[in-house]
Amino acid sequence: MSMDDIQMLIKFLGGLGIFLYGIDRMGDGLQKTAGHKMQQLLGALTDNPVMGILLGTGITAIILSSNATTIMVVGFVNAGILNLSQAVGIIMGANVGTTVTSWIVSMNEWGELLKPELFSPILIVSGAMIRYLSRNGKAKQAGEILVGFGLLFIGLGFMSEAASAYRTNKELLELFTNLGRHPFLGIVAGLFVTVLLQSSTVSVGVLQVLALNGMISWQTAVFINLGQNIGSCAAALRSSIGANSTAKRAAVIHLLFNTIGAVIFGTAMVLIFRLNTQLADSPVTSVGISIFHTVFNVSNTILLFPFAGFLVKASGILIREGTSASGCSLDSKDEMKRHLDNRILDTPSFAIESVTHEVVNMGYAALENFDMAARVLLTDDGSHAYQVKKMEQKIDDYEKIITDYLIKISNQSLNEEQHLIVKNLFYTVSDFERISDHCENLSELALEKNKRNIVFSKEGDKELKEMFQSVRSSLEHAIKARASSDMSEVRAVVRSEELVDNLEEEFRERHILRLASKACKPENGVIYLDALNNLERISDHAHNIAGFVRDEM
């Protein structure tokens, strides 16, 4: 290999790196811009495959990566958020959505004004100035998209310039010709390159660079592109390692979908090229690849959509059902870990939605603990005291698992709104844990009350019941506020908190009067006042949680 060859290879690889980084920056910027709307997409998930296709198309068009979408689907299935019927539609849609990038790459064939060397520097300079000079979060994200867009085409320019040096290389042209004349070899080549680059978006981009330099024919491009579509399944298959059997089936469905489509279209294109040898041997353009890539993925989706149920059944034959990745049943702690799947982290909007759901579950666990503590204290039934302690340990586990996941999310690329939500979720988890601590305190006060044969006066007992009821209302509304981001729930917490504060002050004064009149013994009063204090603190934590929700709106 000559020095010139080495220089061209370095230039091509450098351009490939810039191209990949540009796509990543664009996708990251688009995802940040979509922000809360991406989270709302999760709520659109239904068993309707058509909705799934539209959802998969939209998500992939935003993040510019079908690999990321299918990996996310595997994560959602593994977490139990998606079932296989929903996954099928999203996987089909992801294949359609990935064609967006190929059209972006082919833009420089649309006209002279869209030549990379003309507008890429303008995009990069404009985006960089907006990114670093603007204080507005949305503007910064727009700048990030522009920089990514410009880098994408700079990378394409580098690759194209390096490839142009070999547009007359006989050995290379003969290789591409043979790949076109032997469909199986072309498909294998496309599959291998895609697996090697770990991205069908990048491998299709490389193919389009070769087309820009007139180095490949239609038949070569078609069979390589079919192989690229099969190769795009490698990321999901690799991601499913260690997941449960249902998640593995989702990855297999992706493979079956693309492979069946490649076989059908490959057979049809062999017949077409034999009937029209002029088309087969004519040079393909970058736009031509975009057209075929789109036609294949859209047609394949339309063709196999009625057989979505068959794909699910076929995946069940290839991957046998199991209860979990290890073949054993899951307890609640392991189930939470499964729900907070690391595969979802690459799409922070969905990761935030998923972890919020688990924070709400933690809140309901704290509410359950509150009810048990109330039963122990108000009914003198000590049998539930152990259950309160056990639930407190469970909530401590929840706190650690969720906090670890929130740390992972915070290390992702987030917009300002997402940073605020993650920060507030950190605080919310801590508040729920402290609420459970106070529940344990109440349970211990009840055990002490029973041990010392303490009996509250009728007035004291009635006051505690009223206090428990008001605090429970505050806590329940706070959990609902966190779950739904509903301002009416936030306002309900504020009203309950004000009521609790007033009741705490009023009941404390009444108790002092009872002590003064000797209607209550001092030793009774210590437990009563401690109970009031713990209940008031629980309401304070509920108010904190509602306040975090209010700050996000």
Side-chain angles (χ1 to χ4, degrees):
M1 182 181 288
S2 68
M3 184 57 68
D4 287 342
D5 291 333
I6 294 174
Q7 288 178 342
M8 288 299 104
L9 177 61
I10 292 173
K11 191 166 193 174
F12 186 87
L13 293 176
L16 182 62
I18 296 171
F19 174 72
L20 183 57
Y21 184 73
I23 289 177
D24 183 65
R25 289 299 85 205
M26 270 189 70
D28 197 39
L30 287 167
Q31 191 173 164
K32 285 180 182 177
T33 302
H36 189 62
K37 293 178 182 178
M38 285 279 282
Q39 286 175 248
Q40 291 175 334
L41 288 176
L42 194 59
L45 294 174
T46 67
D47 289 324
N48 185 341
V50 176
M51 279 299 299
I53 290 171
L54 295 175
L55 187 62
T57 302
I59 293 170
T60 306
I62 291 172
I63 63 180
L64 298 178
S65 173
S66 61
N67 282 355
T69 303
T70 50
I71 289 172
M72 181 188 68
V73 168
V74 170
F76 276 147
V77 172
N78 188 58
I81 298 172
L82 285 178
N83 58 43
L84 284 176
S85 297
Q86 293 169 323
V88 171
I90 297 175
I91 289 169
M92 290 180 176
N95 278 30
V96 175
T98 195
T99 62
V100 170
T101 312
S102 68
W103 282 106
I104 293 173
V105 171
S106 64
M107 278 178 59
N108 56 4
E109 285 189 346
W110 298 1
E112 286 298 320
L113 289 176
L114 294 176
K115 292 295 181 182
E117 56 271 20
L118 178 64
F119 70 86
S120 291
I122 298 173
L123 288 176
I124 294 173
V125 170
S126 302
M129 289 181 67
I130 293 171
R131 179 74 178 81
Y132 293 106
L133 297 179
S134 175
R135 295 183 179 180
N136 181 277
K138 293 290 184 184
K140 285 178 177 289
Q141 291 150 24
E144 193 170 344
I145 294 169
L146 290 175
V147 170
F149 202 33
L151 288 174
L152 183 153
F153 283 102
I154 291 290
L156 278 175
F158 272 55
M159 286 193 289
S160 182
E161 190 176 336
S164 66
Y166 297 93
R167 65 174 65 188
T168 58
N169 186 287
K170 293 182 179 179
E171 291 80 6
L172 195 59
L173 293 176
E174 184 64 27
L175 172 63
F176 288 138
T177 301
N178 287 331
L179 290 177
R181 288 173 180 169
H182 300 86
F184 180 75
L185 291 179
I187 291 173
V188 170
L191 189 158
F192 176 77
V193 171
T194 303
V195 172
L196 183 66
L197 295 176
Q198 300 186 49
S199 170
S200 62
T201 299
V202 177
S203 65
V204 172
V206 171
L207 186 67
Q208 289 179 287
V209 166
L210 297 176
L212 284 169
N213 289 278
M215 298 174 69
I216 53 175
S217 64
W218 262 101
Q219 63 180 356
T220 301
V222 163
F223 297 126
I224 289 177
N225 187 244
L226 292 175
Q228 289 169 329
N229 279 278
I230 299 174
S232 68
C233 304
L237 290 169
R238 188 168 53 252
S239 175
S240 70
I241 297 172
N244 61 31
S245 58
T246 310
K248 288 185 173 72
R249 288 177 64 188
V252 167
I253 287 171
H254 187 210
L255 178 63
L256 288 173
F257 176 71
N258 283 11
T259 302
I260 292 171
V263 170
I264 294 172
F265 273 80
T267 303
M269 293 309 297
V270 166
L271 295 175
I272 290 172
F273 288 143
R274 285 185 177 177
L275 292 173
N276 191 340
T277 55
Q278 185 176 356
L279 172 65
D281 295 328
S282 63
V284 68
T285 62
S286 179
V287 172
I289 291 175
S290 297
I291 291 171
F292 176 76
H293 192 42
T294 303
V295 169
F296 167 74
N297 284 293
V298 172
S299 300
N300 193 34
T301 298
I302 294 171
L303 184 66
L304 295 183
F305 172 71
F307 301 99
F310 165 77
L311 292 174
V312 173
K313 290 180 181 178
S315 70
I317 295 172
L318 295 172
I319 304 293
R320 297 296 178 183
E321 284 287 359
T323 55
S324 71
S326 59
C328 57
S329 61
L330 297 168
D331 61 33
S332 57
K333 182 178 175 181
D334 288 336
E335 192 169 346
M336 176 173 278
K337 287 181 179 178
R338 184 167 64 90
H339 289 173
L340 299 178
D341 197 296
N342 288 336
R343 298 171 185 84
I344 309 172
L345 288 170
D346 285 338
T347 314
S349 297
F350 292 133
I352 291 171
E353 183 72 17
S354 185
V355 76
T356 300
H357 180 73
E358 296 307 320
V359 170
V360 171
N361 285 343
M362 180 183 179
Y364 279 114
L367 181 63
E368 182 183 345
N369 213 21
F370 179 84
D371 289 338
M372 288 192 293
R375 196 175 301 120
V376 174
L377 186 62
L378 296 176
T379 65
D380 294 325
D381 181 4
S383 62
H384 288 88
Y386 172 73
Q387 294 299 324
V388 173
K389 188 173 184 63
K390 188 176 179 181
M391 180 64 80
E392 157 62 13
Q393 291 171 345
K394 178 180 178 181
I395 289 172
D396 284 345
D397 290 337
Y398 280 4
E399 181 189 29
K400 185 178 185 309
I401 294 167
I402 294 174
T403 299
D404 287 346
Y405 198 74
L406 285 170
I407 290 171
K408 292 176 182 177
I409 295 176
S410 65
N411 289 328
Q412 304 299 309
S413 183
L414 308 176
N415 61 28
E416 291 179 6
E417 178 188 17
Q418 291 168 333
H419 271 297
L420 177 62
I421 294 172
V422 171
K423 181 187 73 173
N424 287 344
L425 288 175
F426 271 116
Y427 294 144
T428 300
V429 167
S430 178
D431 277 307
F432 280 136
E433 195 278 330
R434 292 296 297 133
I435 287 170
S436 188
D437 285 343
H438 288 297
C439 292
E440 187 177 18
N441 292 344
L442 290 168
S443 176
E444 290 172 354
L445 288 173
L447 292 177
E448 182 67 17
K449 176 172 173 277
N450 290 347
K451 181 180 177 181
R452 296 165 58 182
N453 295 318
I454 292 173
V455 178
F456 292 141
S457 64
K458 288 184 179 179
E459 293 82 359
D461 197 53
K462 182 180 177 181
E463 289 165 1
L464 275 181
K465 286 180 181 178
E466 186 176 352
M467 190 71 166
F468 265 105
Q469 185 177 358
S470 298
V471 172
R472 190 189 193 282
S473 175
S474 180
L475 178 55
E476 186 173 19
H477 283 301
I479 296 168
K480 290 179 178 178
R482 180 68 276 173
S484 63
S485 298
D486 188 342
M487 270 304 294
S488 65
E489 297 291 349
V490 173
R491 287 190 288 269
V493 175
V494 173
R495 289 193 297 269
S496 295
E497 162 64 7
E498 290 175 353
L499 176 60
V500 168
D501 285 345
N502 292 334
L503 288 177
E504 195 268 345
E505 185 177 350
E506 179 184 345
F507 292 162
R508 189 177 292 275
E509 290 177 358
R510 286 185 188 178
H511 180 69
I512 291 171
L513 291 174
R514 286 195 296 269
L515 285 173
S517 64
K518 296 185 179 180
C520 179
K521 296 179 181 179
E523 57 266 28
N524 295 17
V526 173
I527 291 179
Y528 177 87
L529 291 175
D530 280 350
L532 278 185
N533 182 58
N534 277 280
L535 288 169
E536 195 273 335
R537 294 295 300 279
I538 289 172
S539 184
D540 285 344
H541 288 297
H543 188 260
N544 291 344
I545 292 165
F548 299 141
V549 176
R550 181 189 57 225
D551 291 344
E552 295 164 14
M553 301 178 71

